[in-house]
């Protein structure tokens, strides 16, 4: 069953809408009166209060003025930024280049102690080689980013990998077997990457699982995702970057991770799949 990763963002928008509706009630105003004071069509205030249309920053400022509640503006603008941040399209996230997007995630990685990552497309960034990272980010840049700062973005991702070797953290990586054979960057790059997986998989605080390709799977592949402690999950989709903070939704991803983990092989058996992929390239 496909997950529905958008309700965290929707709930954040709903909370903001309810706060705006509360200001309206506290001011003794109707939605039509708010719209009139703001110079809007009467239906606009209704759409905002029912979370059907997200307000802009200027809408919030006008709303607070209309309700004589301008002391609430800063807090409501912060709520708006939070709601908008739940879902960020790649164009917006990467408008200043890939380096900034890579650096923005570093604080999240630094404060996390338990990492869970499932990948159905690519080797997870924390365990990529420099050559593999460069191939991945170069492909991303060519497809959707005008700014070419790939060398800086690669350096930022390599710096982020330092958390893998710092104490007090645990890492569980799950990959589909097909990831081992997706040769982005060419055979030489993939050979280096597979060799690195064998090294990383031997670290005592790292669990490396591979979900084998077979005809009788009980759990279908899903979109790749990360779970950071129990506080947040992130999903990279074709259209953008999703941040999930609702406990019920994080639990859905945790349950999915556990189900996929049961289908994976580890240790000697995982190394055998990586070695087989290496042998096929040599």
């Amino acid at each position: 069953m496909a997950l529905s990763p958008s309700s965290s963002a929707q709930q954040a928008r709903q909370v903001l809408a309810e706060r705006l509706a509360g200001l309206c009630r506290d001011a003794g105003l109707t939605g039509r009166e708010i719209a009139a004071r703001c110079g809007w069509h009467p239906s606009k205030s209704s759409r905002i209060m029912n979370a059907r249309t997200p307000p802009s920053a200027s809408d919030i400022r006008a709303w607070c003025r209309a309700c004589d509640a301008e002391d609430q503006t800063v807090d409501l603008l912060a709520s708006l930024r939070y709601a908008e941040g739940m879902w960020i399209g790649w164009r917006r996230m990467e408008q200043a280049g890939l380096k900034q997007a890579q650096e923005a995630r570093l604080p999240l990685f630094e404060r996390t102690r338990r990492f869970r990552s499932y990948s159905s497309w690519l080797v997870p960034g924390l365990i990529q080689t420099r050559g593999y990272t460069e191939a991945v980010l170069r492909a991303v840049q060519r497809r959707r980013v005008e700014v070419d700062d790939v060398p800086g973005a690669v350096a930022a991702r390599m710096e982020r990998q330092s958390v893998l070797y710092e104490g007090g953290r645990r890492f569980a990586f799950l990959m589909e077997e097909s990831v081992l054979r997706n040769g982005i960057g060419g055979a030489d790059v993939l050979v280096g990457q597979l060799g690195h997986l064998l090294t990383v998989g031997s670290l005592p605080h790292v669990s490396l699982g591979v979900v084998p390709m077979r005809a009788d799977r009980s759990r279908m592949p899903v979109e790749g995702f990360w779970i950071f402690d129990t506080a947040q999950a992130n999903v990279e989709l074709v259209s953008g970057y999703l941040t999930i903070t609702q406990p019920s939704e994080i639990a859905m991803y945790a349950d999915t991770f556990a189900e996929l983990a049961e289908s994976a092989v580890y240790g000697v058996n995982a190394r055998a799949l990586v070695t087989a992929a290496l042998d096929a390239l040599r």
Side-chain angles (χ1 to χ4, degrees):
M1 180 182 67
L3 300 177
S4 176
S6 62
S7 59
S8 283
Q10 179 57 37
Q11 179 152 356
R13 290 192 291 266
Q14 184 66 45
V15 168
L16 177 58
E18 289 171 358
R19 291 186 64 187
L20 292 170
L23 285 185
C24 182
R25 290 192 298 271
D26 291 346
L29 299 171
T30 66
R32 283 183 170 271
E33 289 170 334
I34 283 281
R37 291 190 179 193
C38 294
W40 301 336
H41 188 279
S43 65
K44 179 172 178 175
S45 57
S46 175
R47 293 197 306 272
I48 289 175
M49 286 192 289
N50 289 286
R52 291 197 298 270
T53 297
S56 65
S58 61
D59 290 339
I60 287 177
R61 293 187 183 96
W63 194 287
C64 290
R65 284 195 300 270
C67 294
D68 195 23
E70 290 182 272
D71 60 324
Q72 299 294 310
T73 302
V74 172
D75 190 45
L76 287 167
L77 288 174
S79 295
L80 174 64
R81 287 192 295 272
Y82 175 75
E84 290 177 335
M86 288 285 181
W87 169 258
I88 304 178
W90 292 122
R91 182 179 297 275
R92 176 184 166 197
M93 186 174 185
E94 298 168 343
Q95 61 184 347
L98 292 172
K99 180 174 182 288
Q100 186 179 72
Q102 292 295 315
E103 291 174 336
R105 302 180 200 180
L106 181 58
L108 172 62
F109 281 74
E110 289 179 332
R111 66 176 178 263
T112 300
R113 290 296 176 266
R114 184 189 180 195
F115 295 79
R116 284 168 285 179
S117 170
Y118 165 75
S119 180
S120 53
W121 297 347
L122 299 167
V123 173
L126 271 186
I127 52 176
Q128 291 176 0
T129 62
R130 180 177 291 273
Y132 191 94
T133 291
E134 185 173 0
V136 169
L137 294 182
R138 177 59 66 190
V140 169
Q141 187 271 321
R142 287 172 176 161
R143 186 172 74 249
R144 67 186 188 216
V145 183
E146 293 184 5
V147 177
D148 184 354
D149 62 349
V150 169
V154 171
R157 179 169 287 187
M158 293 297 102
E159 179 182 355
R160 195 166 71 207
Q161 289 184 357
S162 64
V163 301
L164 191 65
Y165 303 98
E166 296 171 356
R169 292 184 171 90
R170 292 178 295 152
F171 302 84
F173 299 103
L174 283 180
M175 287 176 286
E176 295 290 335
E177 184 182 353
S178 57
V179 171
L180 305 178
R181 299 175 182 271
N182 289 335
I184 188 164
D188 289 343
V189 168
L190 189 55
V191 165
Q193 178 61 70
L194 294 175
H196 185 58
L197 290 181
L198 293 174
T199 301
V200 170
S202 67
L203 295 174
H205 57 291
V206 173
S207 170
L208 180 64
V210 180
V211 183
M213 295 185 292
R214 54 176 177 252
D216 60 344
R217 289 185 63 140
S218 60
R219 190 63 168 89
M220 295 298 293
V222 297
E223 69 272 14
F225 59 87
W226 286 79
I227 305 173
F228 300 91
D229 292 324
T230 57
Q232 179 174 320
N234 285 108
V235 188
E236 293 189 9
L237 300 174
V238 172
S239 54
Y241 188 73
L242 182 68
T243 298
I244 295 168
T245 57
Q246 279 298 109
S248 61
E249 289 188 86
I250 295 172
M252 289 176 66
Y253 278 92
D255 290 345
T256 298
F257 187 90
E259 292 171 4
L260 288 162
E262 289 180 358
S263 303
V265 296
Y266 302 87
V268 173
N269 293 328
R271 291 176 69 87
L273 291 178
V274 176
T275 301
L278 267 171
D279 291 342
L281 292 167
R282 289 170 173 164

